Amino acid sequence: LLSRPDQSVAITAAQALGAFSEGIGLIALRLAMRSVVPVMVIHALGDLFLRLGGLPLIPVNVVQSILFLVFGIWLLRRHRAELAADGWG
């Protein structure tokens, strides 16, 4: 909000929600794979696709964030017992 005073609060809130949603998926992937490398590769490829894909940036980013959120929830539920045994919940 401070660095972009021309941007509305709603857009900033939407960006924060998108980052949170995508973060859930990436964190779940990190916990399930026990490595940060796949997370870095997926994040980099996602950003590259958004920039070079030729598709509208905002709708594609929204779909990507929703897919990461759903995938993250599914992955965390699937690996719940393993994560609890490792002290993650």
Side-chain angles (χ1 to χ4, degrees):
L1 290 172
L2 297 176
S3 67
R4 296 279 313 270
D6 59 321
Q7 184 169 294
S8 75
V9 174
I11 290 176
T12 303
Q15 288 175 333
L17 182 62
F20 173 79
S21 300
E22 192 169 330
I24 295 293
L26 293 175
I27 288 169
L29 185 63
R30 159 54 184 101
L31 291 173
M33 298 194 76
R34 302 176 192 271
S35 174
V36 74
V37 174
V39 174
M40 292 174 9
V41 170
I42 288 172
H43 191 287
L45 289 175
D47 286 350
L48 182 66
F49 174 74
L50 280 174
R51 298 292 175 217
L52 303 178
L55 297 171
L57 184 65
I58 293 174
V60 172
N61 201 0
V62 168
V63 170
Q64 178 181 335
S65 295
I66 292 169
L67 290 175
F68 269 113
L69 177 63
V70 170
F71 173 71
I73 291 170
W74 173 80
L75 197 59
L76 288 171
R77 292 177 60 88
R78 183 169 182 239
H79 293 279
R80 185 183 319 172
E82 295 170 29
L83 293 171
D86 288 344
W88 288 98

